[in-house]
Structure formats: structure tokens, C-alpha cells
Amino acid sequence: MRRAVNDLLGAYDKLIMDPVHGGIPLYRHEIQVIDHPLFQRLRNICQNDILSLVFPGATHSRFLHSIGVLHVGTRMFRSMIDAYLRERKLSECTDLSLSQLDAIDYLAKIIRLGCLLHDSGHSSFSHQFTKARRIRELMSRPGRFADLWAGMDFSDYHSEEPEELEHEHYSVRVAHEVLSAVDLEDAGICARDVIGIMETTETAPSETFRQHAHTFWEFIAGSEARSSAMSGTDIPRLVRDLLKSVVSGEIDADRADYMLRDGFHSSVTIGGFNLDHLLSNLRFGWDVSEPWLGLAITQKGLGALEDFVYSRHQMYRKVYAHKTALGFDWLLREAINEVLEDPDNFAWVDTCLSNMEYFAELTDNFFWEAFRKEARRNPASYSRCIVNRVKLNHLDTREDLTDEQVRQHSTWLGEELDLDPDSVVTCSMRARFSKIQENFDGIKVLIRDPIDRSRSLKQITEVSAFFSKFRDGTITHFYTPPDKPTKQITAPLIE
């Protein structure tokens, strides 16, 4: 029967070659999504803003990352299906009905499209775009959300208008636009079910999804589901939460792909972990008494999960929070603010953020041309620093300072270097790792009795002390603007 599942899910219409994962198969409706101009724009948005100014190989795009997430999400789901069938064969004869095969196929297609479109709303330079002061002003303009959905009903996805837009809201809007232009009926997919597993949405699943969710729940929980009194349980919500965790959770396809991809293109090894080992030890976890449906990891797979978390921790510390990289991020945000002082640039970005017809043109290329124009006009501009790779002068790095301690240290540096304290630039990155323990409490460890093969689930922090070691950490770098003289100093300890 496992072969029947593989045959059902394995037919494809096109193969994309990826430098990280190799061949990635695609269905016809997925090719239509990828060929849409709003998805093609991701070719011209760098995955890591301008990290390539520090790690020259890091020029990979959101386009390739999104296809990679589709691939990893598919592998996660199919690996858990395969393991479930393999292990159930040890204790009972497991035959899949046509309705079960249909449910598995439908949920797999939902996961693939959700993964493919999860980052489709990113604008120029990815996360740094929305951190720029002038962009935040534009994103929070009253009426922006209404303009974005002008003439359309957004209530299927959002119960109310958000006060301030984030890239996730744009991903939902892009997904709606793209999926409306794709022949999903032929694929038997409801667009609302795809968008329902993306972030910021509150959707009611289709009747098709509801039927498949009940079939899938009974398939996974088996006799336990049939013998328990769960008539009032929102089973479609349980299944949808499971799918959401594959797209965006603690062990998700997004993180798995960007860690491998960023490490590969940055030519560093600290982002590496064994994806095959991790996926081979993922399982469906369920508990009819709570009720609960989610991801579980086998005991022997805990090492692979620990590698996954530690690699993520190290990538933040050694790559994303690199002193030169954070300095260029600061210069990039200032350069974006700078070019938006031009009324024409400001008006055009304002239009692109409100109208899907023009949103496809909001890419890195627009700002690079604006930076070059500004650099020619003003040699003392931040844009010149970006164009010519003129970096901030690094003075010092400290960890876990409060805002007041950052101000105190900036003042001290200014005094020691005979600088105006206001000219000392600070850049901080906060790694939110204290939530690791909290969030991993939602992922169970699957423990099997070696004698009778009975299963039990435990909180992950009850089995492994590894995850309790992580806490939030803030790395703060101190700089002077380009071309400022510096001297060697010995910094005092900060209590």
C-alpha cells in the first residue's frame, strides 16, 4: 500500500534542479503558480537582503527558497506517512481505502502550495525592507489594508483589518491573487484551504477539507479515534494545525530549507544538520484524550533535532548577527529612507504597496537603481556606502545589554574616542531562543515499549535537557560612520 501512496503523490509534470536538494518535482498547477508574475518577482528578491556584501556567495533568491520549502514540506509529510504505514504493518494489517488515499493526496497538495506561497509577500531586501523607518510609516498608513483589498472580500481570511501590515499579510494577498488565476478546480483544490495554513489567517475550511480531515484523523488514530467520544471536537482544526506546523512551526519546512540553503550559499558549515536523519524520525503524534494532533519525534531522533536547533542558534550568532552584516543592514535601512525622500520614489513605492497590479515591480532592482542615482548625486550618501561597499567602522561588541546599558556604553565610547556620543551607531539583533522550550513543549517524543510495541508520548523537555539551555540573547555591535578615525581602546566591564 505504501507504493500506492507513492504512486498517487509521485507523478509530476516538471523537474526543477536545485543546488541544495537536487531534483524537485512539480505538478501542473504548481507550475502555473510559479509562472505567475507575482511569484516570478521573487527571483529578484535576495533571500538575505545584502548579506552577499559579507558572504559573497549569499546571492540566492526568495524564489528558489520558496520552491525548496515546498520540497522539504512534502518530504516531511510523506516521511511521516511512510513511517506510520511501516510501523502499523508490524502490529496489524493496514489497508488504505480510496477515501484515505484521497485525503492524504489532498492534504499533501495543500501543504505543498502553502509552503510554496508562504514568503510570496516579501518585498525588496526581505526583512530589512519592513524595518526601514519610511517603509514602516507607509505600511501603517490608515486605509492601506482596505486599498490592498479594494473591491474584494477579505473576510474569508481575516476577521478584521490589521492595524499595521507585515509581509505575512502581503503573502495572503499575493496567494489570493495567484491562486485565483490558477486552474485549481482541475487539481481538486480549494484556495481557501491553502491560504488557511498560512500565517495571520483565520479561515473556515471547505467542506472538502472537513471530510478529508475526519478521514485523516481516523486513519492516524485508528481504533482509538473510533472508540473515543469526540463528536464535539473540531477535528478539521486539529488537522489544519498540523499542516500549519509543517509550514511554520518549530520544526518546519521554512527553517529547514533556509538553514541548509543559507549555510550552503554562505559557504559556512555551522548551518548544517542531517535533514534525512531528522525527517526519518518524525512521526504523527496524537492523543484522543486531549485531543491533540501534531508532530512527534522518536527517541533516537532527538540527536538530529538537537543538531537542528543548535545549527539555527549558531547561524544567528555567526552569520545573521555578524558585525559587518548588521552594519550593512543599518546602512541599507538608512539608504532606503534616503531614496524615499525623493517624492517620485515615495509615490511609486506607496502605489506598489496598495495595488497588486504594481506590487510585482517592487523588487531589489528598483532600490539598487535608486541607490546608484542617489550615490551619483550625493557622494556623502548612505546609498554610496551600499553601492561601493563602504562599511561602518566597528568599535565593539557586547551581549545582553539593556537599552540603558547600550546608551551608557555608546556615551563611554564617544568620550574615549573624542566623538559626539550621538555619532556612535548601534545595531542589535535579538535571538528569541527562550521560546524554544515553550514551543517545543508542543512537540512530543514518541516512546515505544520494546516488548509489546505500545506507544506513549512525553513532553520533549521531560526527555531531553538540551532545550532548556537556550535563552533569549541580544548581540549589540557599536560602530562609527564610514571614514571616521578610530583608535584602539580597552572597554570597561559592564555590570
Side-chain angles (χ1 to χ4, degrees):
M1 270 303 179
R2 289 202 306 275
R3 181 175 180 181
V5 176
N6 289 336
D7 287 345
L8 184 63
L9 301 180
Y12 62 88
D13 297 284
K14 189 173 185 178
L15 194 69
I16 285 184
M17 299 308 298
D18 176 73
V20 174
H21 302 296
I24 298 178
L26 298 170
Y27 296 122
R28 187 175 69 87
H29 62 276
E30 294 164 351
I31 298 169
Q32 292 174 352
V33 169
I34 290 171
D35 285 342
H36 194 284
L38 283 171
F39 193 89
Q40 285 291 312
R41 64 183 284 276
L42 297 178
R43 289 181 182 273
N44 297 310
I45 295 176
C46 194
Q47 171 74 11
N48 298 119
D49 50 79
I50 53 172
L51 188 65
S52 61
L53 295 184
V54 183
F55 299 94
T59 57
H60 52 298
S61 66
R62 286 275 163 187
F63 177 85
L64 201 51
H65 164 64
S66 297
I67 296 173
V69 176
L70 171 148
H71 179 67
V72 175
T74 303
R75 288 192 60 193
M76 288 177 67
F77 187 68
R78 290 183 61 178
S79 178
M80 290 186 287
I81 291 286
D82 187 66
Y84 175 86
L85 292 173
R86 184 174 62 250
E87 291 169 359
R88 287 294 288 266
K89 281 286 189 180
L90 297 176
S91 58
E92 61 183 77
C93 180
T94 305
D95 290 325
L96 295 181
S97 66
L98 289 176
S99 62
Q100 288 172 334
L101 287 169
D102 198 26
I104 292 170
D105 181 54
Y106 189 81
L107 298 183
K109 289 177 179 177
I110 294 299
I111 287 175
R112 286 172 65 87
L113 285 176
C115 288
L116 186 63
L117 291 163
H118 82 288
D119 267 354
S120 57
H122 266 296
S123 295
S124 310
F125 303 114
S126 297
H127 292 287
Q128 295 307 316
F129 178 80
T130 54
K131 292 180 181 179
R133 173 180 51 81
R134 297 303 304 276
I135 296 298
R136 288 251 56 91
E137 293 171 1
L138 280 170
M139 299 277 276
S140 58
R141 176 179 65 76
R144 172 76 62 193
F145 186 79
D147 290 344
L148 194 62
W149 287 93
M152 284 177 287
D153 182 8
F154 61 80
S155 61
D156 279 348
Y157 313 127
H158 305 285
S159 59
E160 59 184 9
E161 294 189 22
E163 293 183 2
E164 189 170 354
L165 297 185
E166 302 291 346
H167 78 268
E168 290 88 354
H169 295 107
Y170 279 89
S171 291
V172 172
R173 180 65 183 87
V174 169
H176 174 81
E177 191 78 12
V178 172
L179 294 177
S180 297
V182 171
D183 184 14
L184 290 184
E185 184 176 350
D186 184 61
I189 300 171
C190 176
R192 188 168 76 247
D193 295 337
V194 176
I195 298 175
I197 66 172
M198 297 172 65
E199 292 184 273
T200 75
T201 58
E202 304 170 33
T203 64
S206 69
E207 184 57 33
T208 299
F209 185 93
R210 290 180 179 278
Q211 293 174 2
H212 288 319
H214 282 275
T215 300
F216 184 75
W217 169 253
E218 291 186 4
F219 163 67
I220 293 297
S223 58
E224 295 180 50
R226 291 187 290 272
S227 63
S228 63
M230 293 184 58
S231 58
T233 301
D234 188 357
I235 290 174
R237 180 187 59 80
L238 291 180
V239 174
R240 187 172 61 187
D241 287 348
L242 170 69
L243 304 191
K244 281 188 172 185
S245 70
V246 173
V247 178
S248 180
E250 280 306 309
I251 313 176
D252 64 8
D254 181 28
R255 286 189 175 97
D257 181 80
Y258 79 62
M259 282 166 43
L260 291 175
R261 193 171 301 279
D262 293 353
F264 174 84
H265 287 284
S266 301
S267 300
V268 299
T269 58
I270 55 178
F273 62 94
N274 192 325
L275 179 62
D276 292 334
H277 189 203
L278 178 63
L279 296 186
S280 68
N281 285 285
L282 281 181
R283 299 291 187 271
F284 295 115
W286 72 90
D287 187 337
V288 297
S289 63
E290 291 191 33
W292 176 79
L293 177 65
L295 299 181
I297 188 88
T298 66
Q299 271 187 297
K300 71 175 184 178
L302 279 174
L305 182 57
E306 290 170 358
D307 286 344
F308 176 82
V309 174
Y310 184 69
S311 295
R312 179 180 157 209
H313 180 264
Q314 288 296 88
M315 283 292 287
Y316 271 96
R317 293 186 61 84
K318 305 299 183 183
V319 177
Y320 306 134
H322 188 284
K323 65 181 187 298
T324 310
L326 283 192
F328 274 122
D329 284 345
W330 184 88
L331 287 168
L332 174 63
R333 293 191 296 271
E334 293 303 312
I336 290 173
N337 293 333
E338 189 175 66
V339 298
L340 288 181
E341 294 298 326
D342 183 312
D344 291 337
N345 289 339
F346 185 88
W348 177 242
V349 173
D350 186 26
T351 298
C352 291
L353 288 173
S354 290
N355 192 323
M356 282 293 106
E357 182 179 352
Y358 304 108
F359 186 69
E361 300 186 35
L362 194 56
T363 66
D364 294 0
N365 296 340
F366 170 79
F367 279 98
W368 276 113
E369 289 305 313
F371 294 157
R372 293 186 182 97
K373 181 179 178 180
E374 181 65 22
R376 290 192 297 270
R377 189 188 69 81
N378 180 9
S381 62
Y382 293 114
S383 295
R384 180 188 67 87
C385 296
I386 296 298
V387 171
N388 294 338
R389 198 186 178 275
V390 180
K391 61 185 180 180
L392 299 177
N393 299 304
H394 182 252
L395 299 176
D396 197 12
T397 297
R398 291 302 176 96
E399 295 193 27
D400 301 329
L401 300 185
T402 65
D403 291 343
E404 180 58 31
Q405 287 175 327
V406 170
R407 285 190 291 270
Q408 290 176 0
H409 198 53
S410 294
T411 300
W412 180 84
L413 288 169
E415 291 173 351
E416 289 295 312
L417 295 169
D418 299 324
L419 296 172
D420 179 353
D422 291 338
S423 69
V424 176
V425 175
T426 63
C427 298
S428 298
M429 174 172 281
R430 185 169 183 80
R432 297 178 177 86
F433 285 101
S434 65
K435 291 187 176 181
I436 283 181
Q437 180 172 348
E438 172 191 338
N439 292 339
F440 272 99
D441 281 346
I443 299 169
K444 305 293 195 301
V445 180
L446 178 63
I447 299 175
R448 288 193 177 275
D449 187 287
I451 305 301
D452 63 10
R453 304 298 298 171
S454 62
R455 55 182 289 280
S456 61
L457 293 168
K458 288 189 176 181
Q459 296 281 11
I460 200 166
T461 46
E462 294 177 19
V463 181
S464 172
F466 175 83
F467 301 95
S468 63
K469 299 177 182 178
F470 291 90
R471 59 185 177 86
D472 278 1
T474 302
I475 298 175
T476 302
H477 300 299
F478 298 83
Y479 313 84
T480 58
D483 303 323
K484 293 288 185 180
T486 64
K487 63 180 180 181
Q488 293 296 317
I489 58 172
T490 302
L493 294 175
I494 297 178
E495 298 297 333

